Amino acid sequence: MTKIPDRTIERLITYRRLLQKQAVEGVISIYSHDLATLAHVKPVQVRRDLMEIGFSGSPSKGYGVQGLLDYISGILDMPGGTKAALVGAGNLGRALLSYFNGRSSTINVVAAFDVDTNIIGRVIAGCRCYDIQELGARAKEFGITIGIVTVPATQAQSAADALVEAGVTGILNFAPVPLRIRPDVYIVQVDITRALEKVAHFAKPQSAKEV
Amino acid sequence: MTKIPDRTIERLITYRRLLQKQAVEGVISIYSHDLATLAHVKPVQVRRDLMEIGFSGSPSKGYGVQGLLDYISGILDMPGGTKAALVGAGNLGRALLSYFNGRSSTINVVAAFDVDTNIIGRVIAGCRCYDIQELGARAKEFGITIGIVTVPATQAQSAADALVEAGVTGILNFAPVPLRIRPDVYIVQVDITRALEKVAHFAKPQSAKEV
DNA sequence: TACTGGCTGTGAAATGGTTAACAACGTTAT
DNA sequence: ATAACGTTGTTAACCATTTCACAGCCAGTA
Ligand SMILES: NC(=O)c1ccc[n+]([C@@H]2O[C@H](COP(=O)([O-])OP(=O)(O)OC[C@H]3O[C@@H](n4cnc5c(N)ncnc54)[C@H](O)[C@@H]3O)[C@@H](O)[C@H]2O)c1
Ligand SMILES: NC(=O)c1ccc[n+]([C@@H]2O[C@H](COP(=O)([O-])OP(=O)(O)OC[C@H]3O[C@@H](n4cnc5c(N)ncnc54)[C@H](O)[C@@H]3O)[C@@H](O)[C@H]2O)c1
């Protein structure tokens, strides 16, 4: 199988979430048409994405919901689940911990790390907070493979370095700085401030008008 | 000026942030080469982006840092600043309020809205929390033009509808549901769970290997 | 002055992603 | 039995964006 494009993976994640809802509502099968409406894309995009991953439907019944769910999960998920570490249990970090703690998922945030002695030792949403010094040891102990960076911008690079040192192969970074990291470590940047500024720009009246 | 592409706007926001740092460090002028390194893009991409917005540098000195900063801000920012409302002052909403409150910016979150009577009336990070019923009135009072949605997924559509009703022209949505909204309202979706799942997928060993 | 080097600005090509168009195929209705 | 319909799977065209390649320019230097 050749590599699945980035954008396709993003849509597959969306499809899965929508299909899970459909499944609990008892829907057995679904047309590209319907899934597309839910996901806000065109039907042909859905069909192409499913073609990309090699999943087939029937012209009469569409795609089997449960089968497609399992198939997508087989592509997206690590068998046995994924263990994540969160670095920086501040305002945002704690919000993320309580959020990810809630949902059942194959991804689990199993440990948090900080430098603040007031925070170290606390248990936030069922997740213990360790001294950042222990990252290497705990990562090995828990089998952590991905890291979440929610430290101040000035600390983000060193936090990312520590995570890579500890053996993670993917990083989710909330600090508004581009991280310089080995190319075999996959990075996703979530830049909330940039997203807000983007909304502000395109919400400007003049961005719509004109030749 | 024809419309500036979405991706270019995103990079301009990044450039501006990096240039601000350079400016305070006393850098007067910068080459596409250097800005590209900071932003993790190629030099030609920087030059093309600046060409797109009509900003010129000199082959000998590069681009003037302060001039470029002002020029980019003139494109990105609403003259007079942008006022935002946050709907849903829960875990994430409060983290965002305290974060955006901190930085000085042309974008200000001037009011929060919730349904929880324990939250209504509180002041979070200098921002008062009102009953969601008051949204229309307060939006007019404060001149709010963009909205931030941090309510539970089930409430996201109605929160967005209320914001549109109140006259906002852009929405930043953190709920993991695609919003169905008038096409003249600009939406940016920040899907944190999807970002995490994406990291988990691409961090899988087998996503790198193979023909 | 004439030459060299390194940079900007930009047409043109390449890349990556989306959409149109349609053949193939079950299902249903006649 | 077969014609009509609606859907999937897929090729090819299309579009947006990135990248290449190079002309033009300025500053410094012999
Ligand atoms: N809070 C938000 O809503 C928000 C929005 C956009 C971006 N961000 C970004 O997310 C990051 C965190 O924001 P926040 O509001 O949670 O900040 P915060 O100050 O509340 O939390 C940061 C935490 O990181 C810890 N820390 C500092 N250095 C560390 C290190 N080297 N190793 C481990 N832990 C360390 C601190 O002790 C603190 O607990 C920042 O980079 C910020 O720019 C936050
Ligand atoms: N917390 C996170 O880290 C995180 C991560 C990813 C996504 N999200 C998404 O962000 C959203 C908020 O998450 P959270 O953790 O802050 O949830 P939360 O439950 O802590 O906060 C939600 C807030 O919205 C308020 N609310 C509910 N209905 C409302 C309505 N109709 N109008 C106004 N306010 C209303 C509630 O009273 C509550 O204060 C959710 O959609 C969630 O899926 C959160």
Side-chain angles (χ1 to χ4, degrees):
Chain A
M1 184 199 301
T2 60
K3 172 140 165 311
I4 301 168
D6 210 84
R7 296 291 179 84
T8 300
I9 291 293
E10 291 182 6
R11 285 190 296 269
L12 288 174
I13 293 168
T14 302
Y15 299 159
R16 173 164 70 169
R17 193 148 62 202
L18 296 165
L19 288 166
Q20 276 160 349
K21 191 172 238 181
Q22 295 299 304
V24 302
E25 289 176 8
V27 176
I28 297 301
S29 59
I30 192 168
Y31 293 123
S32 64
H33 169 75
D34 300 314
L35 186 50
T37 303
L38 293 170
H40 286 196
V41 298
K42 309 220 168 170
V44 66
Q45 180 85 80
V46 171
R47 295 203 298 277
R48 175 158 284 282
D49 287 337
L50 300 194
M51 185 186 108
E52 192 90 51
I53 63 175
F55 186 86
S56 293
S58 97
S60 44
K61 284 287 156 191
Y63 303 95
V65 170
Q66 193 57 53
L68 181 49
L69 260 176
D70 296 344
Y71 198 89
I72 292 177
S73 291
I75 289 163
L76 295 180
D77 295 342
M78 187 99 122
T82 302
K83 306 274 186 293
L86 183 139
V87 182
N91 288 317
L92 181 59
R94 286 192 298 268
L96 292 174
L97 282 175
S98 59
Y99 183 74
F100 289 130
N101 173 281
R103 28 220 68 226
S104 71
S105 158
T106 58
I107 306 170
N108 284 68
V109 184
V110 296
F113 298 88
D114 208 297
V115 288
D116 187 332
T117 52
N118 293 15
I119 294 174
I120 294 166
R122 282 175 54 189
V123 175
I124 299 159
C127 180
R128 180 166 288 277
C129 191
Y130 300 96
D131 190 310
I132 183 74
Q133 302 292 339
E134 299 186 42
L135 206 163
R138 299 296 178 183
K140 203 160 285 177
E141 176 186 343
F142 291 122
I144 286 165
T145 57
I146 68 179
I148 303 170
V149 174
T150 49
V151 298
T154 52
Q155 308 297 318
Q157 184 63 55
S158 75
D161 291 341
L163 281 164
V164 171
E165 181 67 25
V168 307
T169 51
I171 290 179
L172 179 60
N173 178 38
F174 287 87
V177 285
L179 297 178
R180 196 164 302 277
I181 287 292
R182 293 212 320 267
D184 58 327
V185 174
Y186 188 82
I187 295 188
V188 171
Q189 181 80 23
V190 176
D191 195 328
I192 294 172
T193 305
R194 191 174 76 171
L196 183 65
E197 291 181 0
K198 198 172 148 192
V199 173
H201 169 72
F202 283 108
K204 281 206 302 183
Q206 58 267 52
S207 67
K209 87 156 180 325
E210 174 82 76
V211 163
Chain B
M1 181 200 299
T2 61
K3 171 138 167 314
I4 301 167
D6 209 85
R7 295 289 180 84
T8 299
I9 291 293
E10 291 181 6
R11 283 190 297 269
L12 289 174
I13 293 168
T14 302
Y15 299 159
R16 173 165 69 169
R17 192 148 63 204
L18 296 166
L19 288 168
Q20 276 159 351
K21 190 171 239 180
Q22 295 298 305
V24 302
E25 288 175 8
V27 177
I28 298 300
S29 59
I30 192 168
Y31 293 122
S32 64
H33 169 75
D34 300 313
L35 186 50
T37 303
L38 292 171
H40 286 197
V41 299
K42 309 219 167 170
V44 66
Q45 180 86 80
V46 171
R47 294 202 299 278
R48 186 159 284 285
D49 287 337
L50 300 194
M51 186 187 107
E52 191 91 50
I53 62 175
F55 186 86
S56 293
S58 98
S60 44
K61 285 287 159 192
Y63 303 94
V65 171
Q66 193 57 53
L68 182 49
L69 261 177
D70 295 344
Y71 198 90
I72 293 177
S73 290
I75 289 163
L76 294 180
D77 294 343
M78 186 99 122
T82 301
K83 306 274 185 297
L86 183 138
V87 182
N91 288 318
L92 181 59
R94 286 192 298 268
L96 292 174
L97 282 176
S98 58
Y99 183 74
F100 289 130
N101 172 279
R103 26 220 71 224
S104 73
S105 158
T106 59
I107 306 171
N108 283 70
V109 184
V110 296
F113 297 89
D114 209 298
V115 288
D116 188 332
T117 52
N118 294 15
I119 293 174
I120 293 167
R122 281 177 54 190
V123 176
I124 300 158
C127 180
R128 181 165 289 276
C129 192
Y130 300 95
D131 189 309
I132 182 74
Q133 302 293 339
E134 299 185 40
L135 206 163
R138 299 294 178 185
K140 202 159 288 177
E141 177 186 343
F142 291 123
I144 287 165
T145 56
I146 68 178
I148 304 170
V149 174
T150 50
V151 298
T154 51
Q155 308 298 317
Q157 184 64 55
S158 74
D161 290 341
L163 282 164
V164 172
E165 180 68 26
V168 307
T169 51
I171 291 178
L172 178 60
N173 178 38
F174 288 88
V177 286
L179 297 178
R180 197 164 300 276
I181 288 291
R182 293 212 320 268
D184 59 327
V185 174
Y186 189 81
I187 296 188
V188 171
Q189 180 80 24
V190 176
D191 196 329
I192 294 173
T193 307
R194 190 174 75 172
L196 183 65
E197 291 181 1
K198 199 172 148 192
V199 173
H201 169 72
F202 283 108
K204 282 208 300 184
Q206 56 269 50
S207 66
K209 87 159 184 320
E210 172 87 74
V211 162

